[in-house]
Amino acid sequence: MTYMGVVYIFDLCTGMRLGELLGLKWQDIDFEQNQLHIRRILRKMKDPDNADEHWHLEFGAPKTPSSDRIILLNKTANKVLADVWEQQEKNKEKSSTAYEDNDLVFATQLGRPLDPTNMRRTCDSICAKIGVSNFHPYCLRHTFTTRGAENNVDVRLMQKFLGHATIKETADAYTHILDDLKQDEIQKLDNAVNY
């Protein structure tokens, strides 16, 4: 699997926003408790008052106070982290002094922050190759929410996992998903009736 692929798999396990994934540091992960703490995001910024300034990457606070949260890690997420750690150790060895150890979980081969725009482009490229359109990294977060609804994960827990500011925000997402599920279920019943 590609390096970007493991980032996407990890996102499916955690429901994190792209900026949260790219801002995640090893110091934020507690392997003994199987959890991570969202403390920062990575975003692409440009000063709107300075037309000559180029875009740059910048770490910042999470989106809302509720976005600063603990996320529990499942077995797959832990395996991804172990694989990423192993790959980073190889990259450090291979790159020697060129490696910039920023303590980032998801970084370039030289330890630098991953550009969110490049992550989106990679996702677009993968989707184009397999004939999928209108899919972007945020859809992985939505898929995490969908799987939670399908598996009857309590909406209050999903609110905490997703870092939503209000239960309404999570409930609205769940309602949309559950409406789709209801339609699927009624179709199963319809298929059982031969008229």
Side-chain angles (χ1 to χ4, degrees):
M1 175 167 298
T2 67
Y3 186 69
M4 294 295 186
V6 296
V7 177
Y8 300 137
I9 295 294
F10 191 77
D11 199 9
L12 285 169
C13 293
T14 61
M16 294 168 66
R17 297 174 180 97
L18 182 58
E20 294 170 345
L21 282 165
L22 302 182
L24 187 64
K25 295 191 175 195
W26 290 109
Q27 68 189 21
D28 302 326
I29 299 171
D30 183 340
F31 287 103
E32 288 181 16
Q33 298 294 319
N34 287 317
Q35 62 187 27
L36 64 82
H37 188 165
I38 302 294
R39 292 187 168 101
R40 77 197 62 70
I41 62 167
L42 179 69
R43 60 183 168 223
K44 198 164 190 172
M45 300 290 293
K46 187 174 183 178
D47 184 352
D49 298 326
N50 183 355
D52 296 329
E53 184 186 23
H54 295 287
W55 289 94
H56 63 277
L57 298 177
E58 174 180 292
F59 291 100
K63 184 177 174 184
T64 65
S66 59
S67 296
D68 183 330
R69 65 195 185 281
I70 301 290
I71 295 177
L72 302 177
L73 300 171
N74 62 26
K75 289 178 187 174
T76 303
N78 276 315
K79 177 155 181 17
V80 167
L81 291 172
D83 290 349
V84 169
W85 178 270
E86 185 179 321
Q87 185 59 52
Q88 279 188 5
E89 291 303 307
K90 289 177 185 175
N91 291 345
K92 288 176 189 177
E93 213 173 282
K94 187 174 156 185
S95 303
S96 187
T97 57
Y99 193 88
E100 296 176 20
D101 196 344
N102 291 299
D103 195 41
L104 292 168
V105 173
F106 301 110
T108 68
Q109 291 181 343
L110 295 176
R112 297 181 186 125
L114 288 168
D115 187 320
T117 303
N118 291 342
M119 294 293 295
R120 288 184 192 94
R121 281 189 199 128
T122 301
C123 186
D124 290 345
S125 174
I126 292 168
C127 289
K129 287 178 185 174
I130 61 173
V132 173
S133 60
N134 298 322
F135 187 91
H136 46 84
Y138 192 83
C139 293
L140 300 170
R141 180 172 162 84
H142 185 74
T143 300
F144 174 81
T145 308
T146 302
R147 297 289 98 71
E150 290 171 347
N151 289 284
N152 299 314
V153 174
D154 185 273
V155 69
R156 292 167 302 207
L157 287 176
M158 285 305 287
Q159 177 194 5
K160 299 294 182 199
F161 294 156
L162 295 167
H164 286 160
T166 66
I167 194 79
K168 182 182 181 331
E169 190 176 357
T170 312
D172 287 349
Y174 258 40
T175 301
H176 169 72
I177 293 162
L178 293 175
D179 285 346
D180 292 345
L181 289 173
K182 284 191 282 186
Q183 189 61 45
D184 291 344
E185 295 303 311
I186 198 67
Q187 191 59 46
K188 287 179 188 175
L189 293 172
D190 188 45
N191 294 340
V193 177
N194 293 322
Y195 176 72

